[in-house]
Amino acid sequence: MTRSGSDVAAAATGPDDPELRAAIREVEIQFSNLFVHAKQLFRRRALGIHPDLSILGYRILGTVVREGALQQGHVAERLDLDKAVASRTIKHLEDLGLVERAADPRDGRAFLVTASELGRARYEATSDRERAVLQARLTEWGVEDLHRFSDLLGRLMDELDVRPGE
């Protein structure tokens, strides 16, 4: 992979460079702002689906909407949750009519979780509304900026990927 001029310049300055440390601090601040905004967005989306839906419930519902029927244990694994917490939250989602649980025909000890028609419809409607807001805000950026932003986010996610021993 070739590095851009700014990549080479950053590498040449080293971790002790005050300007580099200040720039990294700015990224940390923006990440903090992003996480706060993401939590608010998830809460707003959850409330748009049902007034009693938690952020965790929203995440679980989104997982089964996107991925289809999953065993409860697999939902817990995908979201890095304690199985008991996932089970209680899935039961709550079922009580709200947003998901359905049924015995897994391949493993009678496990339950399959699927989004109900109501859960899928509300999740998709809420997602469509929020996506329209994001699209309206990003339309002014231009295609080149959006590709650059996407590339930088992807690169950061690759760099932040946890490696053994870290």
Side-chain angles (χ1 to χ4, degrees), residues 97-130:
L98 301 173
V99 302
E100 298 166 350
R101 289 187 309 165
D104 185 342
R106 295 168 297 185
D107 181 354
R109 301 166 297 159
F111 283 99
L112 287 177
V113 181
T114 58
S116 67
E117 285 186 37
L118 174 68
R120 179 176 300 283
R122 288 188 179 177
Y123 181 87
E124 289 175 354
T126 300
S127 294
D128 289 347
R129 283 192 303 271
E130 293 293 338

Short mmCIF file of all heavy atoms in Angstrom, two decimals, residues 97-130:
data_model
loop_
_atom_site.label_atom_id
_atom_site.label_comp_id
_atom_site.label_asym_id
_atom_site.label_seq_id
_atom_site.Cartn_x
_atom_site.Cartn_y
_atom_site.Cartn_z
N GLY A 97 -43.90 -7.59 21.20
CA GLY A 97 -44.38 -8.01 19.89
C GLY A 97 -43.41 -7.73 18.75
O GLY A 97 -43.79 -7.76 17.58
N LEU A 98 -42.13 -7.47 19.10
CA LEU A 98 -41.14 -7.09 18.08
C LEU A 98 -40.35 -8.28 17.55
O LEU A 98 -39.80 -8.20 16.45
CB LEU A 98 -40.20 -6.03 18.65
CG LEU A 98 -40.89 -4.75 19.11
CD1 LEU A 98 -39.91 -3.83 19.82
CD2 LEU A 98 -41.57 -4.04 17.94
N VAL A 99 -40.25 -9.34 18.33
CA VAL A 99 -39.58 -10.56 17.87
C VAL A 99 -40.43 -11.77 18.23
O VAL A 99 -41.33 -11.68 19.07
CB VAL A 99 -38.15 -10.74 18.47
CG1 VAL A 99 -37.25 -9.58 18.13
CG2 VAL A 99 -38.21 -11.01 19.96
N GLU A 100 -40.11 -12.88 17.61
CA GLU A 100 -40.75 -14.15 17.91
C GLU A 100 -39.65 -15.16 18.20
O GLU A 100 -38.58 -15.11 17.59
CB GLU A 100 -41.59 -14.61 16.71
CG GLU A 100 -42.72 -13.64 16.40
CD GLU A 100 -43.37 -13.88 15.04
OE1 GLU A 100 -42.83 -14.68 14.24
OE2 GLU A 100 -44.40 -13.24 14.79
N ARG A 101 -39.95 -16.04 19.16
CA ARG A 101 -39.01 -17.10 19.49
C ARG A 101 -39.68 -18.44 19.22
O ARG A 101 -40.87 -18.61 19.48
CB ARG A 101 -38.61 -17.06 20.97
CG ARG A 101 -37.72 -15.91 21.32
CD ARG A 101 -37.19 -15.98 22.72
NE ARG A 101 -38.27 -16.20 23.70
CZ ARG A 101 -38.06 -16.58 24.95
NH1 ARG A 101 -36.85 -16.80 25.39
NH2 ARG A 101 -39.07 -16.74 25.79
N ALA A 102 -38.90 -19.36 18.70
CA ALA A 102 -39.41 -20.72 18.45
C ALA A 102 -38.26 -21.69 18.66
O ALA A 102 -37.09 -21.33 18.48
CB ALA A 102 -39.94 -20.83 17.02
N ALA A 103 -38.62 -22.91 19.01
CA ALA A 103 -37.59 -23.94 19.18
C ALA A 103 -36.85 -24.12 17.87
O ALA A 103 -37.45 -24.12 16.79
CB ALA A 103 -38.23 -25.25 19.63
N ASP A 104 -35.55 -24.26 17.96
CA ASP A 104 -34.73 -24.50 16.77
C ASP A 104 -34.93 -25.97 16.36
O ASP A 104 -34.61 -26.87 17.14
CB ASP A 104 -33.26 -24.23 17.10
CG ASP A 104 -32.34 -24.34 15.89
OD1 ASP A 104 -32.74 -24.96 14.87
OD2 ASP A 104 -31.22 -23.82 15.97
N PRO A 105 -35.45 -26.22 15.15
CA PRO A 105 -35.69 -27.60 14.74
C PRO A 105 -34.42 -28.44 14.64
O PRO A 105 -34.46 -29.65 14.74
CB PRO A 105 -36.37 -27.47 13.38
CG PRO A 105 -36.13 -26.08 12.93
CD PRO A 105 -35.84 -25.25 14.13
N ARG A 106 -33.27 -27.78 14.49
CA ARG A 106 -32.00 -28.50 14.40
C ARG A 106 -31.39 -28.78 15.77
O ARG A 106 -30.50 -29.59 15.91
CB ARG A 106 -31.00 -27.73 13.55
CG ARG A 106 -31.44 -27.61 12.08
CD ARG A 106 -30.59 -26.62 11.36
NE ARG A 106 -30.84 -25.31 12.01
CZ ARG A 106 -30.36 -24.17 11.60
NH1 ARG A 106 -29.56 -24.12 10.58
NH2 ARG A 106 -30.65 -23.05 12.21
N ASP A 107 -31.85 -28.01 16.80
CA ASP A 107 -31.32 -28.17 18.15
C ASP A 107 -32.44 -27.83 19.12
O ASP A 107 -32.68 -26.65 19.41
CB ASP A 107 -30.11 -27.25 18.35
CG ASP A 107 -29.49 -27.37 19.74
OD1 ASP A 107 -30.06 -28.08 20.60
OD2 ASP A 107 -28.44 -26.75 19.95
N GLY A 108 -33.15 -28.84 19.59
CA GLY A 108 -34.31 -28.65 20.45
C GLY A 108 -34.04 -27.90 21.74
O GLY A 108 -34.96 -27.42 22.39
N ARG A 109 -32.77 -27.80 22.13
CA ARG A 109 -32.42 -27.08 23.36
C ARG A 109 -32.34 -25.58 23.15
O ARG A 109 -32.34 -24.81 24.09
CB ARG A 109 -31.07 -27.56 23.89
CG ARG A 109 -31.03 -29.05 24.20
CD ARG A 109 -29.59 -29.50 24.39
NE ARG A 109 -28.88 -29.29 23.12
CZ ARG A 109 -27.56 -29.19 23.00
NH1 ARG A 109 -26.80 -29.26 24.06
NH2 ARG A 109 -27.01 -29.01 21.83
N ALA A 110 -32.26 -25.13 21.88
CA ALA A 110 -32.04 -23.72 21.57
C ALA A 110 -33.30 -23.08 20.99
O ALA A 110 -34.16 -23.76 20.43
CB ALA A 110 -30.89 -23.59 20.58
N PHE A 111 -33.37 -21.77 21.13
CA PHE A 111 -34.46 -21.00 20.54
C PHE A 111 -33.92 -20.19 19.37
O PHE A 111 -32.83 -19.63 19.44
CB PHE A 111 -35.06 -20.03 21.56
CG PHE A 111 -35.97 -20.68 22.54
CD1 PHE A 111 -35.51 -20.99 23.81
CD2 PHE A 111 -37.28 -20.98 22.21
CE1 PHE A 111 -36.34 -21.60 24.74
CE2 PHE A 111 -38.13 -21.58 23.13
CZ PHE A 111 -37.66 -21.89 24.39
N LEU A 112 -34.73 -20.10 18.31
CA LEU A 112 -34.44 -19.20 17.20
C LEU A 112 -35.21 -17.91 17.44
O LEU A 112 -36.38 -17.94 17.83
CB LEU A 112 -34.88 -19.81 15.87
CG LEU A 112 -34.03 -20.93 15.32
CD1 LEU A 112 -34.64 -21.47 14.02
CD2 LEU A 112 -32.60 -20.47 15.08
N VAL A 113 -34.56 -16.81 17.19
CA VAL A 113 -35.18 -15.49 17.34
C VAL A 113 -35.30 -14.88 15.96
O VAL A 113 -34.33 -14.85 15.19
CB VAL A 113 -34.32 -14.57 18.24
CG1 VAL A 113 -34.98 -13.22 18.42
CG2 VAL A 113 -34.05 -15.23 19.57
N THR A 114 -36.51 -14.41 15.63
CA THR A 114 -36.74 -13.71 14.37
C THR A 114 -37.51 -12.43 14.66
O THR A 114 -38.23 -12.33 15.66
CB THR A 114 -37.56 -14.55 13.37
OG1 THR A 114 -38.80 -14.90 13.97
CG2 THR A 114 -36.82 -15.79 12.94
N ALA A 115 -37.35 -11.45 13.79
CA ALA A 115 -38.14 -10.23 13.91
C ALA A 115 -39.57 -10.54 13.49
O ALA A 115 -39.79 -11.24 12.50
CB ALA A 115 -37.56 -9.13 13.03
N SER A 116 -40.53 -10.04 14.26
CA SER A 116 -41.93 -10.18 13.86
C SER A 116 -42.19 -9.21 12.70
O SER A 116 -41.36 -8.33 12.41
CB SER A 116 -42.84 -9.85 15.03
OG SER A 116 -42.73 -8.47 15.37
N GLU A 117 -43.33 -9.36 12.06
CA GLU A 117 -43.68 -8.41 10.99
C GLU A 117 -43.71 -6.99 11.54
O GLU A 117 -43.20 -6.06 10.91
CB GLU A 117 -45.02 -8.78 10.37
CG GLU A 117 -44.96 -9.98 9.45
CD GLU A 117 -46.28 -10.23 8.73
OE1 GLU A 117 -46.96 -9.23 8.37
OE2 GLU A 117 -46.62 -11.40 8.55
N LEU A 118 -44.29 -6.84 12.73
CA LEU A 118 -44.35 -5.52 13.37
C LEU A 118 -42.95 -4.99 13.66
O LEU A 118 -42.64 -3.83 13.36
CB LEU A 118 -45.15 -5.60 14.67
CG LEU A 118 -45.19 -4.33 15.52
CD1 LEU A 118 -45.99 -3.24 14.81
CD2 LEU A 118 -45.78 -4.62 16.90
N GLY A 119 -42.09 -5.83 14.24
CA GLY A 119 -40.73 -5.41 14.56
C GLY A 119 -39.95 -5.01 13.32
O GLY A 119 -39.28 -3.97 13.32
N ARG A 120 -40.05 -5.82 12.28
CA ARG A 120 -39.34 -5.51 11.03
C ARG A 120 -39.86 -4.20 10.42
O ARG A 120 -39.08 -3.34 10.03
CB ARG A 120 -39.50 -6.66 10.04
CG ARG A 120 -38.81 -6.41 8.69
CD ARG A 120 -38.92 -7.62 7.78
NE ARG A 120 -38.31 -8.80 8.37
CZ ARG A 120 -37.00 -9.03 8.42
NH1 ARG A 120 -36.16 -8.16 7.90
NH2 ARG A 120 -36.54 -10.14 8.96
N ALA A 121 -41.17 -4.04 10.37
CA ALA A 121 -41.75 -2.84 9.76
C ALA A 121 -41.35 -1.58 10.52
O ALA A 121 -40.96 -0.58 9.91
CB ALA A 121 -43.27 -2.97 9.71
N ARG A 122 -41.42 -1.64 11.84
CA ARG A 122 -41.05 -0.45 12.65
C ARG A 122 -39.56 -0.17 12.57
O ARG A 122 -39.14 0.99 12.49
CB ARG A 122 -41.50 -0.64 14.09
CG ARG A 122 -43.00 -0.52 14.25
CD ARG A 122 -43.40 -0.51 15.68
NE ARG A 122 -44.84 -0.38 15.83
CZ ARG A 122 -45.45 -0.40 17.00
NH1 ARG A 122 -44.76 -0.55 18.12
NH2 ARG A 122 -46.75 -0.28 17.05
N TYR A 123 -38.74 -1.22 12.59
CA TYR A 123 -37.30 -1.02 12.49
C TYR A 123 -36.94 -0.38 11.15
O TYR A 123 -36.18 0.59 11.10
CB TYR A 123 -36.56 -2.36 12.66
CG TYR A 123 -35.07 -2.21 12.59
CD1 TYR A 123 -34.34 -1.92 13.74
CD2 TYR A 123 -34.37 -2.33 11.39
CE1 TYR A 123 -32.96 -1.75 13.68
CE2 TYR A 123 -33.00 -2.17 11.33
CZ TYR A 123 -32.30 -1.88 12.48
OH TYR A 123 -30.95 -1.70 12.41
N GLU A 124 -37.49 -0.91 10.09
CA GLU A 124 -37.18 -0.38 8.75
C GLU A 124 -37.70 1.04 8.57
O GLU A 124 -37.01 1.87 7.98
CB GLU A 124 -37.71 -1.33 7.68
CG GLU A 124 -36.89 -2.62 7.63
CD GLU A 124 -37.44 -3.68 6.67
OE1 GLU A 124 -38.53 -3.49 6.10
OE2 GLU A 124 -36.74 -4.71 6.52
N ALA A 125 -38.88 1.35 9.08
CA ALA A 125 -39.42 2.71 8.97
C ALA A 125 -38.54 3.70 9.71
O ALA A 125 -38.22 4.78 9.20
CB ALA A 125 -40.86 2.75 9.49
N THR A 126 -38.14 3.34 10.92
CA THR A 126 -37.27 4.21 11.71
C THR A 126 -35.92 4.38 11.04
O THR A 126 -35.39 5.50 10.96
CB THR A 126 -37.10 3.64 13.13
OG1 THR A 126 -38.39 3.54 13.74
CG2 THR A 126 -36.22 4.51 13.99
N SER A 127 -35.36 3.30 10.54
CA SER A 127 -34.07 3.36 9.86
C SER A 127 -34.16 4.22 8.60
O SER A 127 -33.25 5.01 8.32
CB SER A 127 -33.59 1.96 9.48
OG SER A 127 -33.33 1.22 10.65
N ASP A 128 -35.24 4.08 7.85
CA ASP A 128 -35.42 4.88 6.64
C ASP A 128 -35.47 6.37 6.97
O ASP A 128 -34.86 7.19 6.27
CB ASP A 128 -36.69 4.47 5.89
CG ASP A 128 -36.59 3.10 5.23
OD1 ASP A 128 -35.46 2.56 5.13
OD2 ASP A 128 -37.65 2.57 4.83
N ARG A 129 -36.18 6.74 8.04
CA ARG A 129 -36.26 8.16 8.44
C ARG A 129 -34.89 8.70 8.81
O ARG A 129 -34.49 9.78 8.38
CB ARG A 129 -37.23 8.34 9.60
CG ARG A 129 -38.69 8.28 9.22
CD ARG A 129 -39.60 8.75 10.36
NE ARG A 129 -39.43 8.00 11.59
CZ ARG A 129 -40.10 6.89 11.90
NH1 ARG A 129 -40.97 6.38 11.06
NH2 ARG A 129 -39.88 6.28 13.06
N GLU A 130 -34.16 7.95 9.63
CA GLU A 130 -32.84 8.41 10.07
C GLU A 130 -31.86 8.45 8.90
O GLU A 130 -31.01 9.35 8.83
CB GLU A 130 -32.31 7.52 11.19
CG GLU A 130 -33.10 7.64 12.47
CD GLU A 130 -32.99 9.00 13.14
OE1 GLU A 130 -32.03 9.75 12.89
OE2 GLU A 130 -33.88 9.32 13.95
#
